[in-house]
């Protein structure tokens, strides 16, 4: 899981170096002050502040990625398929089979839906990881993995994702 540490490992410009909690207790005979240093807070992509900043990228963004990945060949076949070059098992793991059994057989719009699940939203599967999960009807949630699984996004600064990182979202708050 992607996580951003804010606190002792973060720079002073992005967050306080530590969190202090002070408690003062006063009785008729004395006053006691206790200060506790709390560990740094970890903000995950599921932090409500970050989630509030999310807007799915415009389809034109994904068109640029597809241009780089496959020259916008939305019917591209193989293990890295479709216009966005989505790995076939990743397609399945993020619910692509609800549209087609292979990315190359899905429409451009359906491929973009799966790309947004992979990068931003994740996917609620219908499978269970443990017997206890099955008994309690808690299917596995596949977390999003971000944009940088696409080689073109990773290698080209002009394809920088159009959403803030969790750290940027916290600074904007």
């Amino acid at each position: 899981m992607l996580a951003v540490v804010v606190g002792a490992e973060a720079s002073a410009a992005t967050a306080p170096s530590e969190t202090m909690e002070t408690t003062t207790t006063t009785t008729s005979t004395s006053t006691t002050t206790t200060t506790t240093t709390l560990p740094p807070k970890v903000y995950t992509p599921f932090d409500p502040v970050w989630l509030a900043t999310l807007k799915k990228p415009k389809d034109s963004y994904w068109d640029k990625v597809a241009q780089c990945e496959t020259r916008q060949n939305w019917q591209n076949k193989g293990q890295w398929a479709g216009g966005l070059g989505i790995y076939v098992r990743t397609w399945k793991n993020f619910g692509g089979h609800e549209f087609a059994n292979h990315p190359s057989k899905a429409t451009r719009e359906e491929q973009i839906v799966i790309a947004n699940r992979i990068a931003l939203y994740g996917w609620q599967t219908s499978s269970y990881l443990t017997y206890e999960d099955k008994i309690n009807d808690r299917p596995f949630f596949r977390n999003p993995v971000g944009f940088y699984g696409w080689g073109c996004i990773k290698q080209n600064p002009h394809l920088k994702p159009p959403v803030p990182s969790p750290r940027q979202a916290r600074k904007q708050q």
Side-chain angles (χ1 to χ4, degrees), residues 3-167:
V4 177
V5 176
V6 177
E9 294 179 25
S11 71
T14 59
S17 63
E18 56 187 30
T19 305
M20 305 287 273
E21 185 176 275
T22 304
T23 308
T24 303
T25 308
T26 305
T27 63
S28 58
T29 58
S30 67
T31 299
T32 305
T33 302
T34 306
T35 302
T36 307
T37 303
L38 301 174
K41 180 170 172 70
V42 175
Y43 296 107
T44 69
F46 305 101
D47 182 60
V49 172
W50 184 72
L51 286 173
T53 67
L54 288 183
K55 293 184 179 133
K56 72 178 185 172
K58 293 180 180 180
D59 289 358
S60 60
Y61 172 78
W62 290 115
D63 286 335
K64 291 175 190 172
V65 173
Q67 180 63 39
C68 178
E69 290 283 345
T70 66
R71 291 184 172 78
Q72 285 197 5
N73 178 1
W74 295 95
Q75 284 75 45
N76 185 44
K77 294 179 178 19
Q79 287 297 308
W80 301 88
L84 297 168
I86 299 172
Y87 185 58
V88 175
R89 291 194 71 181
T90 303
W91 175 261
K92 178 184 176 202
N93 290 339
F94 282 88
H97 283 170
E98 81 176 275
F99 300 120
N101 66 353
H102 196 268
S104 64
K105 295 181 180 175
T107 66
R108 169 186 167 272
E109 292 76 18
E110 292 165 342
Q111 291 178 45
I112 290 171
V113 166
I114 300 305
N116 284 319
R117 288 178 187 171
I118 294 166
L120 295 171
Y121 303 123
W123 177 245
Q124 181 64 64
T125 70
S126 57
S127 58
Y128 303 92
L129 290 181
T130 67
Y131 181 72
E132 181 182 334
D133 287 343
K134 185 170 182 150
I135 290 172
N136 294 311
D137 194 27
R138 289 187 309 229
F140 174 68
F141 180 79
R142 187 167 305 284
N143 289 322
V145 295
F147 290 88
Y148 293 104
W150 279 274
C152 280
I153 295 173
K154 193 183 326 181
Q155 309 259 334
N156 294 294
H158 72 279
L159 289 176
K160 183 178 181 221
V163 297
S165 69
R167 181 175 289 175

